[in-house]
Amino acid sequence: MPLLLLKRKIQKWWSKAPWLTLSVVLAVLYVLGYAMMLLQEPANNPIRSLRTYTYFFIVTVTTVGFGDVVPVSTMGRLAAALIAMGGIGAAAGALSSVFTSLGNFIKRREKGFLEFDMTGHIVIFGNRGGETTSLIQRLVADQQSHGTEIVLCSQATERNPFPDLIEFVRGELTSNEVMIRACVKDAGKVIIHAGTDYESISIALAVKETNPVAPIVVKANDPAKEVDIERVDRKRVVCVKSVDVPMMVREIHNPGITRVFENLLSPDGQDLRSIQVPDGKPRNFGRLAHHFREKHGAILIGMRSVGGGVVSQTILNPAFDTTIEGGMFLDYISRNPVRIEWESLDEILAGPAQ
């Protein structure tokens, strides 16, 4: 029974302070070994010198054993054997402690219990399954996100879904603990992908208190709640109406781009329009773009060829020297449809470049 209690005490001490335990064991071996050498070794043995003994202790405890300095007495050799065995045990204990610590670190990282130290990263609040998976994959692949660290915060997710690509923090999304562990105060951008709009508002308020500058993109579930969500901070919070993941990625990298798309699709604002080019001689895209802008207040953004009745081969923002053939469609942005007299325009375009 006493041995069992001693064993338990040693195990408890080891679990609390393994490195201190190893240091104490080695210190005891060092002192006892030197006392044994002084008492038992002949006076002419250099091992009695503290400097030489220290060298002997190091090569013995590390199990190197060069053999250039050795004890000759029976008790001295017994002490050397104990030092060697203590060294083997210390090495095994140290490796065990290192691997245990490493294993615990990996487990804690996988389960989202670590605290990170990063800046300028992207924080995603909430996990909506496949939609969030697609969002993360798109962010990782996007050129503007290249090299940017990503942290996913979720309470329901048990393990990091992408341990090789992102970091993971598990906990109550509005809690101060999650804000600290995810380094939200130093985040460059924030995406809120929560399950409900009320949860999104709560998270947005918590983020606003923690980080005063980062853009916040929110996936709204109910269009009627968008006004309430954006009221949290009208300068930074933007709701993305579309469930299209690429749109969320565009918004996080280009704040306000969602509003541009909404204006283009709005019947009260500018609109995306197209016009077909009649047959005739080839025309220059750059000159046409200049004419559209100067004479009609329209912005020419692209061209499309037509084959078999099906529009194909769309080219956005082509080079100015690109040739436009008859039958192609031109895509442009304007408030009103553009009306063009092509014969008169051909005469204008045939003149010197403006």
Side-chain angles (χ1 to χ4, degrees):
M1 185 64 70
L3 290 177
L4 181 60
L5 291 175
L6 178 62
K7 178 182 177 183
R8 289 179 177 176
K9 286 184 179 180
I10 293 174
Q11 289 176 337
K12 185 177 180 181
W13 186 21
W14 171 263
S15 63
K16 288 185 175 180
W19 296 107
L20 177 61
T21 305
L22 283 176
S23 300
V24 170
V25 169
L26 292 177
V28 170
L29 286 174
Y30 178 84
V31 173
L32 291 180
Y34 185 57
M36 192 65 68
M37 300 305 170
L38 285 177
L39 293 173
Q40 298 296 325
E41 289 301 306
N44 62 346
N45 193 336
I47 202 171
R48 290 168 58 90
S49 164
L50 181 60
R51 182 179 299 178
T52 305
Y53 169 74
T54 301
Y55 162 76
F56 164 78
F57 181 83
I58 292 173
V59 298
T60 303
V61 82
T62 56
T63 69
V64 175
F66 292 118
D68 50 346
V69 179
V70 294
V72 295
S73 66
T74 301
M75 294 304 295
R77 289 174 177 172
L78 178 61
L82 290 175
I83 291 172
M85 288 188 291
I88 295 173
L95 288 174
S96 173
S97 180
V98 167
F99 287 125
T100 299
S101 299
L102 183 60
N104 289 337
F105 175 83
I106 293 174
K107 287 180 181 178
R108 285 174 58 80
R109 179 176 178 266
E110 249 184 37
K111 293 183 178 180
F113 297 134
L114 290 184
E115 180 176 334
F116 299 101
D117 182 14
M118 56 182 72
T119 58
H121 54 295
I122 299 173
V123 181
I124 302 174
F125 286 95
N127 186 355
R128 297 166 65 105
E131 193 176 330
T132 304
T133 296
S134 179
L135 172 63
I136 292 172
Q137 291 173 334
R138 174 74 64 160
L139 282 170
V140 171
D142 191 87
Q143 289 184 350
Q144 290 180 276
S145 305
H146 185 70
T148 303
E149 294 178 293
I150 300 173
V151 180
L152 172 65
C153 300
S154 174
Q155 186 174 17
T157 307
E158 295 184 358
R159 291 181 179 274
N160 188 342
F162 297 101
D164 297 330
L165 299 177
I166 65 171
E167 300 297 348
F168 173 54
V169 170
R170 186 180 184 188
E172 173 56 47
L173 299 185
T174 57
S175 68
N176 191 49
E177 179 194 1
V178 167
M179 297 291 163
I180 292 174
R181 289 198 284 124
C183 298
V184 174
K185 71 180 180 64
D186 296 316
K189 296 159 186 176
V190 176
I191 298 176
I192 300 178
H193 218 220
T196 67
D197 292 325
Y198 293 108
E199 187 180 8
S200 295
I201 293 173
S202 299
I203 297 171
L205 287 169
V207 172
K208 179 183 178 182
E209 290 182 357
T210 307
N211 186 321
V213 295
I216 304 172
V217 178
V218 183
K219 168 61 181 70
N221 298 283
D222 182 0
K225 294 293 186 294
E226 290 176 10
V227 174
D228 296 329
I229 296 173
E230 293 181 347
R231 191 178 290 142
V232 172
D233 190 334
R234 297 189 186 280
K235 294 182 179 179
R236 292 194 293 151
V237 177
V238 175
C239 287
V240 177
K241 298 178 181 179
S242 171
V243 296
D244 183 33
V245 167
M247 179 61 73
M248 296 191 69
V249 176
R250 291 189 190 102
E251 179 62 40
I252 198 66
H253 289 309
N254 308 278
I257 200 69
T258 303
R259 294 290 182 263
V260 176
F261 276 88
E262 290 176 359
N263 288 336
L264 287 175
L265 298 176
S266 171
D268 299 325
Q270 302 281 340
D271 202 354
L272 282 170
R273 307 176 190 276
S274 66
I275 187 172
Q276 189 170 21
V277 179
D279 292 334
K281 62 182 180 180
R283 297 167 177 90
N284 178 271
F285 181 85
R287 291 194 171 191
L288 273 176
H290 182 78
H291 177 79
F292 267 63
R293 182 60 183 163
E294 292 296 318
K295 303 302 181 181
H296 304 282
I299 301 174
L300 196 58
I301 63 171
M303 49 187 277
R304 292 174 282 138
S305 61
V306 179
V310 179
V311 178
S312 60
Q313 298 180 359
T314 301
I315 303 176
L316 290 177
N317 193 24
F320 263 35
D321 60 355
T322 302
T323 299
I324 300 175
E325 304 287 348
M328 284 186 169
F329 281 90
L330 298 177
D331 299 315
Y332 63 95
I333 300 172
S334 72
R335 188 172 300 279
N336 301 302
V338 170
R339 308 295 181 187
I340 294 180
E341 294 292 337
W342 288 98
E343 292 182 4
S344 301
L345 178 58
D346 288 338
E347 293 179 6
I348 296 173
L349 298 180
Q354 300 180 17

